[in-house]
Amino acid sequence: MPDLIRMRRDYDDGSFTEAGLAPTWVEQFDRWFADSVAAELTEPNAMVLATADADGVPDARIVLMKGYDETGFLFVGNYASAKGAQLAVNPRAALVFPWHDLQRSVRVTGTVERVGDAASDALWDPRPRGAQLAAAASLQSTVVESRDELVQRFHELDAQTPPGQLPRPANWGGYRLAPDKVEFWQGGHDRLHDRLVFVRDDEEGGGWFVQRLAP
């Protein structure tokens, strides 16, 4: 068993200063996301999605980002799943992009809403048939007796539907997280990390300002 108290990696990729920050959070995310793709990180669009239920009990899982722009970050899911039920009663969430190999992460908090049928169709249609079958056959977050049960549902649905793309299930669709904070974290030598945060100022008409946080 390794000595976890002493297990650490120092960071040495340099400082991240206000002078190097893009004018907007979305432009800064463009830069860092492009870097993560160029570095050939495994699934750079993978992000931790944290939610909470009506009692404030937290939950988290990894999902894939399916798009982003100045309005927020897109992801998909089953409305009847655990995360769907939690977002229905508490439509706030947090995201983390853990780009460890670049000694970076991006943290986001904000409100979440469904994107509507047309946008959900646009997210569903490019999925391979197998992924569509799996999404339609799985009653996400419910208890199943065995993997064989899941596989049987998958094959039964495959046999019952014509070849080609499946129509989008009514309980599946897209979500958009509209951020109120976007933090860009750069690992620093001796744990003096750089944390620059874009904060939405609703009192000033929805503008943004930047804060530096202590590591």
Side-chain angles (χ1 to χ4, degrees), residues 14-203:
S15 61
F16 179 47
T17 68
E18 288 81 351
L21 192 66
T24 67
W25 73 260
V26 72
E27 291 175 85
Q28 185 61 47
F29 191 85
D30 282 341
R31 294 178 185 178
W32 277 20
F33 188 67
D35 289 345
S36 72
V37 173
E40 299 183 344
L41 301 188
T42 301
E43 293 194 307
N45 60 327
M47 58 189 187
V48 177
L49 168 66
T51 55
D53 64 16
D55 295 323
V57 178
D59 199 359
R61 76 290 289 160
I62 295 175
V63 300
L64 295 180
M65 175 182 65
K66 291 299 181 180
Y68 72 92
D69 58 22
E70 65 278 358
T71 65
F73 297 86
L74 291 175
F75 60 95
V76 300
N78 188 313
Y79 297 145
S81 67
K83 65 178 173 291
Q86 290 156 6
L87 289 170
V89 297
N90 186 1
R92 290 193 57 80
L95 306 174
V96 180
F97 293 86
W99 295 326
H100 302 299
D101 288 347
L102 295 180
Q103 301 177 8
R104 292 173 176 172
S105 66
V106 178
R107 301 171 64 220
V108 186
T109 60
T111 57
V112 181
E113 63 180 4
R114 297 182 188 181
V115 300
D117 289 340
S120 291
D121 287 342
L123 293 165
W124 172 264
D125 291 343
R127 292 169 69 94
R129 176 178 170 84
Q132 292 180 340
L133 286 166
S138 173
L139 303 177
Q140 194 175 58
S141 302
T142 62
V143 176
V144 293
E145 292 297 325
S146 66
R147 178 173 177 80
D148 290 342
E149 180 182 340
L150 289 173
V151 173
Q152 182 178 350
R153 289 182 194 168
F154 180 97
H155 289 304
E156 287 177 351
L157 182 59
D158 191 20
Q160 292 165 3
T161 54
Q165 301 297 92
L166 271 65
R168 177 177 61 86
N171 64 349
W172 189 100
Y175 291 94
R176 176 183 290 107
L177 186 149
D180 49 46
K181 290 184 180 180
V182 184
E183 176 185 324
F184 294 88
W185 181 98
Q186 175 74 60
H189 188 60
D190 289 330
R191 291 314 196 249
L192 290 177
H193 312 306
D194 289 300
R195 300 175 62 188
L196 297 179
V197 189
F198 287 86
V199 181
R200 192 176 66 208
D201 189 353
D202 290 329
E203 295 182 0

